[in-house]
Amino acid sequence: MEVQQAASQVQVMGIDAGGTMTDTFFVRADGRFVVGKAQSNPGDESLAIFNSSQDALAHWGREVDDVYPELVTCVYSGTAMLNRILMRKGLDVGLICNRGFEQIHSMGRALQSYLGYALEDRIHLNTHRYDEPLVPVSRTRGVTERTDVQGKVVIPLREDEVRQATRELVEAGSQAIVICLLQSHKNEVSEQRARDVVKDELKKLKVDVPVFASVDYYPSRKESHRMNTTILEAYGAEPSRQTLKKVSDRFKKHGAKFDLRVMATHGGTISWKAKELARTIVSGPIGGVIGSKLLGEYLGDENIACSDIGGTSFDVALITKGSFAIKSDPDMARLVLSLPLVAMDSVGAGAGSFVRLDPYSKSIKLGPDSAGYRVGTCWPESGLDTVSVSDCHVVLGYLNPDNFLGGAIKLDVQRARDHIKAQIADPLGLSVEDAAAGVIELLDLTLSEYLRANISAKGYNPAEFTCFSYGGAGPVHTYGYTEGVGFKDVVVPAWAAGFSAFGCACADFEYRYDKSVDLGVAQFAADADKAAACASLQEAWEELAVKVIDEFVINGYKPEDVLLILGYKMQYMGQLNDLEIVSPVSTAATAADWDQIIDAFENTYGRVYANSARSPELGFSITGAILRGMVVTQKPVLPEDPDCGPTPPKEAYLGTRPFYRHKRWVEAALWKMESLKAGNHIVGPAIIESDATTFVVPDGFETTVDKHRLFHLKEVK
Amino acid sequence: MSAYTNEQVAHLVEGSLDWETTFRMLSMPKDNSRFEQYLKALQAKVTFPDKIVLPLGPHLYIVQSAKTKQWVTMCDCGHEFGDYRENWKLNAAIYVRDTEEAMTEVYPKLMAPDTQWQVYREYYCPTCGTMHDVEAPTPWYPVIHDFEPDIEAFYKEWVGLPVPEKAA
C-alpha cells in the first residue's frame, strides 16, 4: 500500500489465514506496512501464505526470497484447527474415564445443543441438535476409581482394569488415548497413576500411541470442560502441528530464520512446537484485540471498544484500564472448554448478511447466514439470488463496483437493483433506494445497539471509551454504528482490512497456564491460616512455572530469559464471579503477603464494580492460580509521518460518486486512501477508498488522518 | 426469499433432508410456497386418487373425495373416517389400556400410570391397522375431538390459495 524510496528492513510478519482469504501483513523497521491478500487453500495453507506474501511485497517491489530472511518475527493465526474440529477430521481418540461415566462425553452438556445459535434459535427447541461426539462410546472405557470433591481417594484405581481398557482401545484402533478422571484437578494421583499404567501397557504391546492425561494439560474444575479440552488436544492438535510444520518448512525453504509462532486464545503467542496446541483453536479475531491494545498504548487510550465487522459477524471486545478480560470456560466449535480466552461478544450480522422479508410481518430480517466470499447478487458469478447487505451498499454508492477488492471482481449494480426491487422494495411499496437505505439503517442500528449494550451492561460509560473500528467491512459502517453512542473518539486504522494480522504480530511470545485451586480464608483469619493459603498458592505457581519454562526451553530459551508474571483468580467467598488479578507479590508465604493479595483484589473489585459493593466480611476465596511467562520479541512500530496540513494533496482526489442517504442523493467526494497525508482533514460526504477497504464519511461527519495513519471520525455538531 | 425445490420438500417430509437445509428452514420464516409444495410431496406418497386438502397426522389427511368432492378424513390406505367436521376417532378401531397388564406391555412394571387415574386409548385404522393417535385421559373422559380446522380461512387468509371445491 505504501511505496517509499528508502529501503528499510522488513521485520515483522502477521498472518491471518481465514476460511476464504489469507491476509498477510508486513511491517518495516520505519513503521511502513503492506497488506497482502490471497485466496485460502485448505489443502496447503503454506501456499496461500506464500501467495499472499507475494501480493503484499509487490507493493514494495520486493520478493519473498529476499524478504523472508530479513524477518525477525512472524505470527500465524488461522481457522485450520477449528475447521478440523467442525468437520470432525481429527484422530481416532480412545477415552478412559470413571466406570459408570462412559456416556458423559457423548451426552455432552445440554447447552452444547444450541451453542453458536442466534437467540431466536436458542429459544426454538426444534433447532437444538447434538453434534457427533469427538470420541464415540465404542472407543470409551470406564475404570473403577473415585476421588471425592475434597480430593480424597475413596476408591483406589483398579490398575488391571486400566490395562484391560488400554488393550481394548488399541484393539479398537485408537490413535491417541485420553485419560480424564473425576476431580483429578483436586487430586491428581489416580489419574497420573492411570497414565503411567497406560504407558506401561502400551510399551508391553509395543504400540506407539500418545497419551493425554487431563491433569497434565488442563487441570481445571468442570469435568465436561476439562474432558472436552483434553480430547480436543489429542483429536486436533497433532494434525494441526503437521499443518504448521508445513508452513514453517516453506518459510525455511525461502530462507526464513525466525521461529514461527501461533496466536493463542489467551492473547499471547506460542510456538508451533508447544505442548498445548488446542489453545490455538481460535486466533484470528483475538489479533484485533491485541492490536487495539497496542494502538491504545500509542494513543494514550486506556479504555477501548474494539469492533470488528466482517462478512458474517460483528465482534466486540472491551479493553479497560489497558487490559482485556479473559474468559476461563468459553465455548468453541459447540464444545464447552477450559481454556483462557480473550472475552469477546459476537452478533451474527455483517456486511455480507443475507436480507430477507418476513412474508407475514413484512419486516426485514438480516442473516444469520451470509453470502461470505460470494459478496451478493451484484456479483453475477456468485450464483446467488438472495439480496445481501453488500448489494444495498453497491446500489447506494457506498462501494465502487469497479474497484471491489482492488478491481479483482466487477460488480453489476443493475443486477443488485433488480433483486432488491423484486425481493424487498416492491413488497414493501418503497423505492429501491429507500429499501436499500432501510436495510443499511437496520444493520447500523442493530450494531450500535449491540455495541452500546455491551458497554453499558458492564457498567461503563461510552464517553470514556475510544472505539476502534476494523475488519474488511468495518470502515463502511463505522459512522453508522458509532453515531449517537457518544464515544470519546472513533478511530479507523488505514490498514483496517489487515488489522487482525497486524494484531497477531503485536502479541507477546507468552505462555499461560492455569490451575484450579480452592483456598478460602475469613476476613480476620489467624496469621497461620493466611500463611497456609499463601503456601498452597505458591505451590500451584511453582507447579505451573515448571510447565511454562519447559515450553520456552523447547524453543531454545534459557529459563533465566523468561519473565514470569504471577496471577490468581479471587472472589468474595460465596459469590459466583471471580476476578483475574496480577499478583502484587512475587512469592506468597506470609500473612503480610496474603494481605497484599487481598488488597489488590479489593482495589480491582472496587474499580470493576463499585467500592461500596465490596464485601470483605464474606471472606476471600482463591479459585485459580495463573502463570504467564514471556520473552522479549520484536513488535511492529507505527509510522510517524510529518504533518502536511489539513488540505489533502491533489493526487488523492478521484472525483465524485452519487451517494444516497437520508432520502436524497448527494455527490460524495472520492479520495484515495494511500495518497492522503498526515494532518489531512476531510468533511463528508466523502468516500475514502483503498484496495482492501472503503471508508465512508457521510454528510454530518468529518475525519482527520493522524501521524500514525489512523483516521479519527467525528460527528459535526 | 429462500425458495426450496420440490425435491427438498419431499426430503423434508421423508426426514432425509440434510441438516444444514433443515436448520435454515427451521430458523427462517416459512416461505410462501411451502404449503403447496408440502401438499404436493404428500400427494406423491399416497396411492389414493383423492386430493389432499390438509394433513392431520403422519398418515392421516382431510381429502377432497375424487368421486363426491366431499371433504372427508382419510388414512394412507384410503380408508374413509367420514366427514371432516366429525371426530374421525369415533370411526376408528379403539384399544384401551386400562389394566396393569396392558400397561406393562408398553412400560416397565411400576413405571406406568395407575389405570384408576389414567388410561391409554389407541386409535387404529380398521383397514390397515396404522395407529393414528394415542390419548392419555382419565378413564371416564369422553373421546377427545382434537380440533375442527377452519380450512376456508386457512387457505384464503393464511396461505393465499384458492379453496378446493367442496360438495355440501
Side-chain angles (χ1 to χ4, degrees):
Chain A
M1 278 187 189
E2 282 289 313
V3 183
Q4 284 230 328
Q5 309 87 326
S8 147
Q9 191 202 355
V10 184
Q11 291 192 318
V12 180
M13 175 184 184
I15 304 165
D16 182 12
T20 50
M21 297 300 278
T22 295
D23 303 343
T24 49
F25 189 87
F26 289 86
V27 193
R28 285 200 316 223
D30 61 1
R32 300 281 131 190
F33 53 83
V34 281
V35 178
K37 287 194 171 282
Q39 198 143 29
S40 290
N41 181 347
D44 184 359
E45 288 203 23
S46 70
L47 192 62
I49 294 168
F50 178 79
N51 292 339
S52 179
S53 304
Q54 271 190 321
D55 178 52
L57 294 171
H59 293 285
W60 281 334
R62 301 198 58 184
E63 290 295 326
V64 168
D65 284 306
D66 158 44
V67 171
Y68 278 3
E70 279 181 20
L71 289 169
V72 182
T73 190
C74 172
V75 178
Y76 166 96
S77 76
T79 51
M81 171 99 169
L82 185 62
N83 288 339
R84 188 164 285 118
I85 307 302
L86 292 174
M87 318 261 290
R88 294 291 188 266
K89 283 186 177 157
L91 299 183
D92 290 344
V93 176
L95 174 65
I96 295 179
C97 59
N98 291 80
R99 171 150 290 182
F101 288 75
E102 294 88 345
Q103 318 282 333
I104 290 288
H105 174 66
S106 323
M107 283 161 62
R109 288 279 292 261
L111 73 97
Q112 289 182 174
S113 68
Y114 55 82
L115 279 177
Y117 281 8
L119 181 69
E120 298 91 311
D121 291 324
R122 287 184 184 210
I123 56 180
H124 185 191
L125 285 173
N126 284 0
T127 63
H128 292 198
R129 182 171 182 268
Y130 288 90
D131 290 335
E132 195 65 16
L134 296 176
V135 181
V137 176
S138 62
R139 277 202 309 275
T140 305
R141 292 293 178 277
V143 295
T144 306
E145 188 278 343
R146 188 60 64 87
T147 301
D148 73 10
V149 283
Q150 304 300 336
K152 200 172 121 217
V153 177
V154 189
I155 304 172
L157 179 72
R158 301 223 177 128
E159 295 184 10
D160 52 327
E161 292 183 14
V162 178
R163 289 186 189 278
Q164 173 73 19
T166 308
R167 287 193 295 271
E168 289 176 15
L169 290 176
V170 168
E171 180 67 24
S174 305
Q175 294 166 299
I177 292 179
V178 168
I179 307 163
C180 187
L181 300 181
L182 292 174
Q183 319 297 351
S184 65
H185 67 283
K186 270 300 241 187
N187 181 350
E188 64 281 9
V189 172
S190 295
E191 194 175 295
Q192 284 174 343
R193 181 63 201 146
R195 174 198 64 197
D196 295 341
V197 171
V198 170
K199 282 187 172 169
D200 183 62
E201 190 63 26
L202 288 172
K203 213 160 141 194
K204 279 189 197 159
L205 294 170
K206 296 193 170 54
V207 176
D208 185 21
V209 160
V211 180
F212 300 80
S214 74
V215 282
D216 295 338
Y217 288 84
Y218 305 96
S220 299
R221 67 169 64 78
K222 297 194 177 178
E223 316 293 344
S224 302
H225 296 65
R226 178 152 46 89
M227 188 181 275
N228 279 344
T229 315
T230 316
I231 291 173
L232 202 64
E233 189 68 44
Y235 184 85
E238 232 13 80
S240 290
R241 198 185 305 278
Q242 298 311 315
T243 303
L244 294 170
K245 184 171 186 315
K246 227 165 152 181
V247 173
S248 177
D249 287 349
R250 192 180 284 268
F251 283 142
K252 292 260 147 54
K253 208 178 96 193
H254 292 282
K257 296 184 186 78
F258 57 80
D259 209 4
L260 180 67
R261 288 182 285 134
V262 192
M263 191 76 209
T265 52
H266 65 279
T269 58
I270 63 178
S271 162
W272 66 276
K273 298 171 196 155
K275 286 179 193 155
E276 296 188 359
L277 268 189
R279 54 176 70 213
T280 62
I281 178 165
V282 171
S283 45
I286 292 162
V289 182
I290 309 301
S292 299
K293 184 168 177 272
L294 187 96
L295 280 191
E297 285 163 13
Y298 264 95
L299 297 176
D301 287 325
E302 279 196 309
N303 297 324
I304 299 162
C306 314
S307 60
D308 179 349
I309 174 161
T312 48
S313 71
F314 181 64
D315 302 325
V316 176
L318 294 186
I319 295 175
T320 51
K321 298 274 174 200
S323 49
F324 45 78
I326 293 276
K327 215 173 154 187
S328 53
D329 45 7
D331 54 81
M332 271 170 264
R334 303 189 12 104
L335 294 166
V336 291
L337 298 175
S338 55
L339 289 173
L341 172 73
V342 173
M344 258 183 295
D345 292 291
S346 285
V347 61
S353 291
F354 283 129
V355 183
R356 298 183 181 93
L357 271 195
D358 184 315
Y360 304 104
S361 66
K362 297 281 184 235
S363 58
I364 296 172
K365 271 186 72 100
L366 298 174
D369 51 345
S370 80
Y373 71 96
R374 292 181 295 169
V375 191
T377 63
C378 55
W379 184 31
E381 286 81 16
S382 66
L384 293 175
D385 51 17
T386 304
V387 172
S388 76
V389 172
S390 302
D391 288 325
C392 300
H393 280 141
V394 169
V395 164
L396 299 178
Y398 282 67
L399 298 178
N400 182 350
D402 299 318
N403 192 30
F404 193 75
L405 285 178
I409 60 177
K410 297 272 180 255
L411 305 181
D412 181 345
V413 182
Q414 192 54 43
R415 196 167 188 271
R417 280 191 75 91
D418 293 346
H419 279 102
I420 294 173
K421 184 169 159 50
Q423 293 169 36
I424 316 284
D426 284 352
L428 292 176
L430 294 173
S431 68
V432 170
E433 288 82 6
D434 284 337
V439 169
I440 304 298
E441 262 175 57
L442 178 67
L443 177 63
D444 287 343
L445 196 70
T446 310
L447 301 186
S448 86
E449 274 308 305
Y450 190 74
L451 192 55
R452 191 203 310 266
N454 242 292
I455 296 170
S456 47
K458 295 186 173 95
Y460 298 115
N461 177 0
E464 291 162 10
F465 280 78
T466 297
C467 178
F468 284 1
S469 171
Y470 48 88
V476 179
H477 288 277
T478 309
Y479 81 87
Y481 67 76
T482 58
E483 185 175 15
V485 179
F487 286 114
K488 194 171 85 181
D489 191 6
V490 175
V491 175
V492 176
W495 61 99
F499 197 76
S500 288
F502 159 81
C504 290
C506 295
D508 285 306
F509 192 1
E510 177 194 295
Y511 286 92
R512 172 190 161 126
Y513 279 80
D514 287 61
K515 183 179 166 62
S516 286
V517 294
D518 288 301
L519 301 172
V521 177
Q523 185 182 13
F524 302 111
D527 281 1
D529 293 339
K530 292 179 178 178
C534 281
S536 304
L537 181 61
Q538 183 64 30
E539 193 187 325
W541 278 336
E542 280 166 15
E543 192 182 307
L544 295 175
V546 173
K547 287 186 172 184
V548 168
I549 288 171
D550 268 3
E551 291 278 23
F552 281 109
V553 168
I554 295 176
N555 285 283
Y557 286 91
K558 292 194 220 41
E560 57 269 29
D561 297 336
V562 182
L563 172 67
L564 294 177
I565 299 169
L566 309 173
Y568 51 91
K569 285 190 255 185
M570 194 174 226
Q571 64 194 33
Y572 289 115
M573 216 184 284
Q575 289 196 346
L576 292 173
N577 293 314
D578 48 24
L579 287 174
E580 233 183 84
I581 314 286
V582 173
S583 173
V585 293
S586 53
T587 52
T590 63
D593 293 338
W594 180 257
D595 291 340
Q596 281 197 55
I597 286 171
I598 284 177
D599 284 346
F601 165 72
E602 290 221 287
N603 285 334
T604 309
Y605 193 93
R607 201 186 71 222
V608 172
Y609 302 105
N611 281 334
S612 55
R614 295 185 197 176
S615 314
E617 69 282 0
L618 297 173
F620 302 88
S621 316
I622 290 188
T623 54
I626 303 164
L627 192 83
R628 286 150 61 205
M630 57 176 83
V631 293
V632 179
T633 51
Q634 177 68 43
K635 289 184 191 180
V637 286
L638 293 189
E640 297 266 356
D641 290 349
D643 193 313
C644 296
T647 315
K650 266 204 202 79
E651 64 270 23
Y653 185 70
L654 298 173
T656 63
R657 183 162 73 221
F659 173 81
Y660 189 90
R661 184 166 168 262
H662 288 167
K663 296 199 174 289
R664 63 193 182 100
W665 284 100
V666 292
E667 284 296 318
L670 301 180
W671 299 94
K672 190 170 164 55
M673 189 181 278
E674 286 77 8
S675 305
L676 294 175
K677 302 280 186 220
N680 288 177
H681 179 79
I682 290 171
V683 179
I687 296 169
I688 302 167
E689 295 185 350
S690 93
D691 287 354
T693 191
T694 303
F695 179 29
V696 175
V697 185
D699 35 343
F701 288 83
E702 57 185 10
T703 188
T704 313
V705 192
D706 74 8
K707 60 179 177 180
H708 301 308
R709 300 207 65 72
L710 301 170
F711 289 84
H712 297 262
L713 183 71
K714 274 197 185 67
E715 289 176 50
V716 185
K717 292 279 184 290
Chain B
M1 266 331 292
S2 308
Y4 299 99
T5 61
N6 289 334
E7 193 190 350
Q8 283 174 315
V9 175
H11 276 297
L12 179 72
V13 171
E14 287 297 330
S16 54
L17 188 64
D18 68 283
W19 172 246
E20 275 70 35
T21 314
T22 311
F23 181 70
R24 199 165 71 233
M25 277 187 179
L26 286 167
S27 342
M28 293 284 159
K30 204 165 275 176
D31 34 301
N32 283 317
S33 61
R34 180 82 61 83
F35 183 69
E36 231 177 327
Q37 289 179 295
Y38 178 43
L39 284 190
K40 203 169 165 187
L42 293 176
Q43 194 78 55
K45 283 180 59 167
V46 297
T47 49
F48 52 70
D50 317 81
K51 183 178 152 59
I52 297 176
V53 177
L54 191 75
L56 284 185
H59 303 281
L60 197 67
Y61 319 88
I62 293 173
V63 303
Q64 178 200 53
S65 163
K67 278 177 276 175
T68 65
K69 301 289 177 203
Q70 278 173 330
W71 291 1
V72 294
T73 305
M74 188 176 276
C75 174
D76 264 348
C77 68
H79 178 90
E80 279 188 32
F81 287 91
D83 188 275
Y84 81 106
R85 283 159 298 200
E86 301 300 322
N87 192 354
W88 62 270
K89 290 178 186 169
L90 297 172
N91 297 317
I94 307 179
Y95 177 64
V96 183
R97 291 186 196 273
D98 53 1
T99 62
E100 194 187 335
E101 196 192 356
M103 280 292 182
T104 46
E105 284 175 13
V106 290
Y107 277 120
K109 198 171 159 65
L110 299 176
M111 290 180 76
D114 179 338
T115 49
Q116 302 268 306
W117 290 95
Q118 190 177 50
V119 297
Y120 290 164
R121 290 199 292 247
E122 302 165 357
Y123 297 92
Y124 294 90
C125 171
T127 304
C128 68
T130 297
M131 181 200 273
H132 286 303
D133 202 8
V134 181
E135 281 172 5
T138 42
W140 46 265
Y141 202 84
V143 171
I144 299 166
H145 189 178
D146 290 322
F147 77 127
E148 194 185 320
D150 183 350
I151 293 175
E152 284 85 354
F154 178 68
Y155 268 74
K156 274 191 267 187
E157 292 164 32
W158 287 72
V159 292
L161 293 174
V163 182
E165 189 191 337
K166 180 176 69 169

